[in-house]
């Protein structure tokens, strides 16, 4: 089955009980048993048919054994971290999502889980960080906001050699363009709030395990800690996923048009996009993903100019988040990355005049004209 077909016919694509082509929202917390212990579903934290349909769907489209749906991306990430114990050490990409950084350094540190943040685009740096207590490598690729690319296959080989669990946050590329399990990942994570939902109307997280055994472990955590996604949001997410392919194709083509314009504009300095041949991660990304996505960052002269640009656009909405039908624009150093000290930001390459866009599904010409005129104002 090809990807676009799988997005529609993967998982449980019609309701086995009624034949409904759209899986019903089973708004039920508990289920009648035909005699003690004789049931398909017991209690909806443990399993709910609507959530299960979504979980089977994401497992299918990521090419994994088991899928799990959570109340947010952070709940999915936190559930996965619960697989580890006090004294364990994890290696994370140095510019992981801010929420992942926060939960590791302000919450899980209190439970004795140690972390190192390293530039995972540098394989020697990854190897150098492995200690006897190291249990996992957690990467995000491409990253936010500089779209740094980690070689999934190469890091997977390092993880295998040292018997480490390899976890990939695949939010930016989506399972339409990139399937980390096929490249050696053990667990794939998504903030489904972004491209998978795709319409700025649901907060959700997904996790997929490569093996049934890991799936059992993660189901135990999901059921024990309870951060599940409700049936209504599970349904909304399934509806979003059906059109993921066509959205990603269109977003990619809109992004191409915008990049061409940005390259011509005098006000624009650097452009960060893995689709550009001079992007340091271009070749690796091309080898592991089918598309480059709709996230682009670029620099303008300074913070003041960045503020001007985001004020003067009409069709780009000034907001955090990404991956929806609406094009969004933000200034990471003033918004998502404001809590990082300026010196550290500059070290990471996040300049004061950095602008980030999440390209949506509006007409390409409108988007190009809009951003161009905002840059020229
Ligand atoms: C948004 C995001 C998260 C967190 O997801 P929520 O659904 O907001 O909890 C994790 N990783 C990445 C890459 C994200 O963009």
């Amino acid at each position: 089955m090809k990807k676009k077909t799988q997005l529609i016919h993967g998982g449980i694509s019609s309701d086995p009980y009624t034949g409904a082509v759209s899986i019903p929202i089973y708004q039920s917390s508990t289920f009648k048993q035909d005699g003690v212990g004789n049931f398909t579903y017991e209690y909806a934290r443990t399993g709910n048919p609507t959530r299960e349909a979504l979980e089977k769907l994401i497992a299918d489209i990521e090419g994994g054994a088991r899928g799990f749906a959570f109340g947010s991306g952070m709940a999915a990430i936190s559930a996965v971290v619960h697989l580890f114990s006090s004294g364990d050490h994890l290696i994370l990409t140095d510019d992981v999502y801010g929420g992942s950084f926060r939960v590791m350094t302000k919450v899980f540190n209190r439970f004795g889980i140690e972390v190192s943040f390293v530039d995972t685009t540098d394989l020697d740096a990854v190897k150098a960080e492995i200690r006897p207590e190291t249990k996992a490598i957690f990467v995000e690729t491409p990253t936010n906001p500089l779209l740094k690319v980690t070689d999934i296959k190469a890091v997977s080989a390092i993880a295998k050699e040292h018997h480490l669990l390899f976890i990939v946050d695949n939010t930016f590329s989506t399972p339409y363009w990139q399937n980390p399990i096929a490249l050696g990942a053990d667990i794939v994570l998504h903030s489904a709030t972004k491209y998978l939902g795709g319409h700025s109307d649901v907060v959700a997280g997904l996790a997929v395990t490569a093996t049934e055994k890991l799936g059992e472990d993660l189901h135990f955590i999901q059921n024990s800690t309870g951060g599940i996604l409700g049936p209504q949001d599970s349904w909304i997410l399934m509806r979003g996923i059906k059109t993921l392919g066509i959205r990603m194709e269109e977003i990619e083509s809109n992004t191409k048009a915008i990049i061409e314009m940005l390259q011509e504009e005098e006000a624009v300095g650097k452009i960060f996009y893995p689709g550009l041949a001079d992007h340091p991660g271009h070749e690796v990304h091309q080898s592991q993903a089918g598309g480059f996505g709709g996230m682009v960052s670029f620099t303008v002269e300074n913070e003041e100019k960045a503020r001007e640009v985001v004020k003067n656009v009409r069709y780009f909405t000034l907001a955090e988040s990404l991956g929806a039908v609406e094009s969004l624009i933000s200034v990471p150093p003033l918004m998502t990355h404001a809590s990082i000290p300026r010196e550290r930001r500059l070290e990471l390459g996040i300049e004061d005049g950095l602008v980030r866009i999440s390209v949506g599904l509006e007409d390409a010409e409108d988007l190009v004209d809009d951003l161009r005129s905002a840059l020229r104002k």
Side-chain angles (χ1 to χ4, degrees), residues 130-278:
I130 297 172
R131 316 173 188 168
E133 329 64 88
T134 306
K135 290 288 156 60
I137 305 176
F138 179 132
V139 309
E140 208 176 293
T141 179
T143 60
N144 179 33
L146 298 177
L147 291 307
K148 278 166 65 181
V149 174
T150 291
D151 188 331
I152 299 174
K153 247 189 198 160
V155 174
S156 150
I158 297 171
K160 286 210 164 55
E161 192 191 326
H162 297 268
H163 309 286
L164 311 177
L165 214 58
F166 182 34
I167 304 159
V168 179
D169 182 332
N170 199 28
T171 301
F172 268 42
S173 270
T174 83
Y176 183 69
W177 291 135
Q178 182 169 278
N179 297 118
I181 287 173
L183 301 164
D186 298 301
I187 298 178
V188 176
L189 288 162
H190 284 284
S191 168
T193 313
K194 316 295 168 52
Y195 287 106
L196 291 168
H199 297 72
S200 307
D201 53 12
V202 65
V203 173
L206 297 169
V208 178
T209 63
T211 65
E212 194 60 43
K213 167 71 181 73
L214 252 183
E216 273 167 32
D217 295 347
L218 193 56
H219 183 255
F220 181 79
I221 303 281
Q222 184 193 40
N223 190 41
S224 301
T225 57
I228 52 156
L229 189 65
Q232 188 124 13
D233 284 347
S234 295
W235 183 89
I236 293 176
L237 200 46
M238 278 190 279
R239 184 162 77 169
I241 290 172
K242 286 178 213 275
T243 57
L244 178 70
I246 195 159
R247 283 189 283 114
M248 293 317 290
E249 297 281 357
E250 191 72 8
I251 283 172
E252 184 98 350
S253 118
N254 280 356
T255 305
K256 218 175 250 170
I258 291 170
I259 297 262
E260 277 163 23
M261 177 275 291
L262 291 175
Q263 287 174 317
E264 298 295 313
E265 286 309 297
E266 240 171 78
V268 175
K270 298 180 197 135
I271 304 172
F272 300 92
Y273 185 62
L276 292 171
D278 63 358

Side-chain angles (χ1 to χ4, degrees), residues 7-23:
L7 293 168
I8 291 159
H9 295 286
I12 305 169
S13 63
S14 68
D15 182 41
Y17 310 106
T18 63
V21 166
S22 161
I23 300 284

Side-chain angles (χ1 to χ4, degrees), residues 4-68:
K4 275 186 191 149
T5 311
Q6 202 178 28
L7 293 168
I8 291 159
H9 295 286
I12 305 169
S13 63
S14 68
D15 182 41
Y17 310 106
T18 63
V21 166
S22 161
I23 300 284
I25 300 168
Y26 284 99
Q27 196 73 49
S28 187
S29 61
T30 191
F31 302 84
K32 179 171 169 278
Q33 306 192 6
D34 295 327
V36 177
N38 185 11
F39 56 80
T40 311
Y41 298 96
E42 179 184 22
Y43 181 65
R45 171 162 32 75
T46 317
N48 169 288
T50 313
R51 192 178 89 228
E52 186 179 287
L54 167 66
E55 293 179 330
K56 291 225 153 98
L57 178 62
I58 189 64
D60 265 12
I61 61 186
E62 277 293 10
R66 296 276 298 273
F68 301 93

